[in-house]
Amino acid sequence: MKNMVAQKKLSGGKQVKEMSFIEHLEELRWHLVRACLSVLICSVVAFMNRSVIFDEIILWPKDPNFWTYEKLNQMMAWIHEQLPFIESSSFNIRPIEIQNIMMSGQFSTHIKVSIVMGFILAFPYVFYQVWGFVRPALYNTEKRVASGAVFVSSLLFIVGVLFGYFIILPLSLQFLAGYEVSSQVSNQIQLSSYIGTVTSIVFSGGVVFELPVIAFFFSKIGLLTPEFMRTYRKHSYVALLLLSAIITPPDVFSQVLVCIPLVFLYEVSIYISRAVNKKQKYDFDDDLEDLD
């Protein structure tokens, strides 16, 4: 009966030739080649635009005129205007001095940053190639449900990257640059350390915002159910708080600020998992009725 159900789900009732393991590997190889080529091209473009990548993007968060700092000061001024009894204050911007002590440090950093930027820029196409390999294995109903997977995953990744860059990163930089164990020790940040902090925070933001997409695919293959997510909701909140502590500096304000969107994404993931499970049950019941 399962074979009949599967055959009815094939597009247009056509027989689809089953590919061998070697043919699957060949298909996967070409998808990976195209994905890597797109990352390489975007990396070369980033490498050639060094001043834009470093001066206007990578090093901008250490500038006192950074967008986030200006908005925080405007918000504090607005709060004082609405509540005059609260003492007027401004966000204290600590200067960050960056230095390089390695002969090839700046050149190797340029290459590493170009690769990371290349992957971020090429992410929609990379995911499109992954989706292109997975899509033929899905039934028609599954293809319709997941038709916007590339757009949604790309959008969530970009939003996560922007959230990490404009929210998590500046708060992390100011906390870590101003933290000191003794007044006799000054913070002179090494270039590789600064770049590592920037890339890890920004990239982590993009990855964690993929939670709804992960929930969708795990629900499709039966590894995740909305009942399971509801049952372990409190445990998941603790895990999200720990995750926020890992990707942010060790202060409560930053952790809570990061944890709020993660909790929201978790609740959205429960809704997505419920919709997927409901759709699968509905399709299965329809198939049984057709067979009867």
Side-chain angles (χ1 to χ4, degrees):
M1 185 177 80
K2 291 182 179 179
N3 292 334
M4 295 177 64
V5 172
Q7 187 174 350
K8 290 179 71 65
K9 287 186 175 182
L10 294 176
S11 58
K14 297 179 181 178
Q15 294 291 337
V16 178
K17 180 183 175 182
E18 184 176 348
M19 298 174 63
S20 65
F21 178 72
I22 300 300
E23 289 174 329
H24 277 295
L25 286 181
E26 180 68 13
E27 184 72 14
L28 176 61
R29 182 173 74 91
W30 282 109
H31 282 290
L32 291 178
V33 167
R34 287 190 286 267
C36 292
L37 185 60
S38 67
V39 174
L40 178 61
I41 293 174
C42 291
S43 297
V44 171
V45 173
F47 187 87
M48 296 174 62
N49 292 272
R50 178 180 59 186
S51 60
V52 175
I53 297 299
F54 281 89
D55 295 339
E56 300 183 21
I57 298 179
I58 301 295
L59 299 176
W60 189 27
K62 77 179 190 68
D63 191 332
N65 295 322
F66 185 60
W67 182 87
T68 303
Y69 306 143
E70 291 184 348
K71 296 303 178 184
L72 284 174
N73 286 328
Q74 291 176 7
M75 182 180 68
M76 291 178 179
W78 180 84
I79 292 176
H80 175 69
E81 183 179 332
Q82 301 298 319
L83 305 173
F85 57 87
I86 296 180
E87 183 179 355
S88 178
S89 61
S90 60
F91 190 74
N92 185 24
I93 310 299
R94 301 179 178 89
I96 300 178
E97 180 180 350
I98 300 177
Q99 61 178 348
N100 174 58
I101 59 175
M102 298 177 61
M103 181 66 70
S104 61
Q106 297 200 43
F107 179 72
S108 60
T109 298
H110 188 189
I111 294 177
K112 293 176 183 178
V113 169
S114 298
I115 294 174
V116 174
M117 289 297 297
F119 181 82
I120 292 176
L121 294 174
F123 179 82
Y125 186 77
V126 171
F127 190 84
Y128 174 77
Q129 289 301 320
V130 175
W131 175 245
F133 177 73
V134 175
R135 190 175 185 274
L138 302 178
Y139 298 136
N140 285 341
T141 53
E142 295 172 331
K143 291 178 182 178
R144 287 194 294 270
V145 173
S147 59
V150 175
F151 173 77
V152 173
S153 62
S154 301
L155 179 62
L156 287 174
F157 183 80
I158 293 173
V159 171
V161 166
L162 293 176
F163 180 80
Y165 181 75
F166 285 103
I167 303 300
I168 305 177
L169 179 60
L171 297 177
S172 301
L173 290 179
Q174 289 302 310
F175 175 84
L176 296 175
Y179 188 85
E180 57 182 20
V181 294
S182 172
S183 58
Q184 302 180 45
V185 182
S186 61
N187 287 330
Q188 295 180 346
I189 313 301
Q190 191 173 342
L191 177 63
S192 59
S193 176
Y194 176 86
I195 296 297
T197 301
V198 172
T199 54
S200 62
I201 289 178
V202 171
F203 192 74
S204 298
V207 172
V208 297
F209 267 62
E210 294 292 321
L211 181 60
V213 177
I214 296 173
F216 173 82
F217 284 105
F218 275 24
S219 299
K220 292 296 293 183
I221 62 178
L223 294 179
L224 192 65
T225 63
E227 292 77 17
F228 177 85
M229 298 183 71
R230 291 193 193 97
T231 301
Y232 293 95
R233 178 185 271 119
K234 294 181 180 179
H235 302 79
S236 300
Y237 284 177
V238 174
L240 292 176
L241 187 60
L242 292 176
L243 178 62
S244 302
I246 293 174
I247 63 178
T248 59
D251 66 282
V252 178
F253 176 74
S254 298
Q255 293 174 13
V256 172
L257 190 64
V258 173
C259 192
I260 290 175
L262 293 182
V263 170
F264 173 76
L265 291 173
Y266 184 83
E267 294 299 327
V268 171
S269 300
I270 294 178
Y271 174 79
I272 292 175
S273 181
R274 184 180 64 181
V276 170
N277 279 266
K278 185 177 180 181
K279 179 67 175 176
Q280 286 180 325
K281 183 178 182 303
Y282 176 79
D283 291 338
F284 183 74
D285 291 342
D286 282 351
D287 290 328
L288 291 179
E289 291 178 3
D290 292 339
L291 289 175
D292 293 338

